[in-house]
Amino acid sequence: MIVLIEPSDKYFASYQEARAEYAANDITAYAFSDGTWDDVFQKFDHYRFERNLRADRVGADYYWLVDDERDYFIGEICIRHHLNDALSRYGGHIGYGIRYSAWNQGYGTKMLFLALEKAKALGISRALITCDDDNIASAKLAEKCGFCLEDKIRNVFEHAVITTRRYWKNL
């Protein structure tokens, strides 16, 4: 069965395989965490309880989409507790990644729908998702899940101008 869970050491080897798939395919749109289980778990714990974060970071809950019958990690979704100025421009409340070998199989849609219930439980009443203008798959996913395009804005990262789509949804 495909379920959304809190990160678990049961799926950590599969999680690391997904991270390796991204590296092998030069995928940089979402970064799975690197390190030992203790490193990764500690990072998730710090974000959930909003401690030991850099000043420009906000609290967040991380969840994994897994196939519990196969002990198989499929994707990760991060729900940020609130927005700062930078996240209102790029990043939003929700960021996610699906392992490369599971792209275009409907997992992103399932994971986002499940995560929206978690976001609502966190007290988020209006959620923002952003994506690069040329990331058509993420744009379609946002729209499929009921997010509405508010605007496209220009962001500058490392001297490169990136057009960012900003999608909102009332929860």
Side-chain angles (χ1 to χ4, degrees):
M1 175 186 260
I2 307 300
V3 293
L4 192 66
I5 65 166
E6 291 185 11
S8 165
D9 59 350
K10 178 179 179 179
Y11 301 95
F12 189 65
S14 186
Y15 177 86
Q16 293 295 71
E17 291 168 3
R19 194 180 146 285
E21 285 180 20
Y22 267 31
N25 291 283
D26 295 321
I27 307 299
T28 59
Y30 184 86
F32 294 118
S33 297
D34 188 15
T36 66
W37 170 246
D38 289 337
D39 296 334
V40 173
F41 179 79
Q42 184 177 48
K43 170 192 164 184
F44 295 154
D45 190 59
H46 285 300
Y47 273 94
R48 173 163 284 169
F49 296 105
E50 300 184 30
R51 60 177 174 234
N52 301 318
L53 300 178
R54 293 185 347 212
D56 62 339
R57 302 294 176 156
V58 302
D61 288 1
Y62 284 82
Y63 296 97
W64 288 356
L65 188 72
V66 300
D67 181 335
D68 65 356
E69 294 170 357
R70 296 177 20 206
D71 294 340
Y72 187 72
F73 169 86
I74 299 167
E76 177 177 89
I77 196 157
C78 166
I79 305 168
R80 297 175 189 96
H81 300 164
H82 60 273
L83 300 176
N84 59 21
D85 289 339
L87 289 170
S88 341
R89 294 189 58 80
Y90 192 85
H93 286 101
I94 300 171
Y96 59 88
I98 298 292
R99 75 183 305 144
Y100 183 74
S101 59
W103 281 14
N104 300 313
Q105 297 176 37
Y107 292 120
T109 303
K110 181 168 185 64
M111 185 168 66
L112 182 53
F113 272 127
L114 292 170
L116 291 175
E117 290 302 315
K118 305 276 189 190
K120 190 174 182 178
L122 284 170
I124 299 169
S125 59
R126 188 168 182 245
L128 172 67
I129 289 182
T130 71
C131 66
D132 292 353
D133 192 40
D134 62 355
N135 188 340
I136 302 306
S138 283
K140 285 182 179 180
L141 174 62
E143 292 167 3
K144 185 186 282 188
C145 291
F147 283 78
C148 297
L149 178 65
E150 179 174 283
D151 56 14
K152 295 181 183 183
I153 61 173
R154 294 167 52 105
N155 285 300
V156 179
F157 296 105
E158 299 177 6
H159 308 292
V161 176
I162 297 173
T163 301
T164 303
R165 295 179 185 218
R166 297 186 328 144
Y167 289 90
W168 287 93
K169 178 178 176 133
N170 292 327
L171 303 183

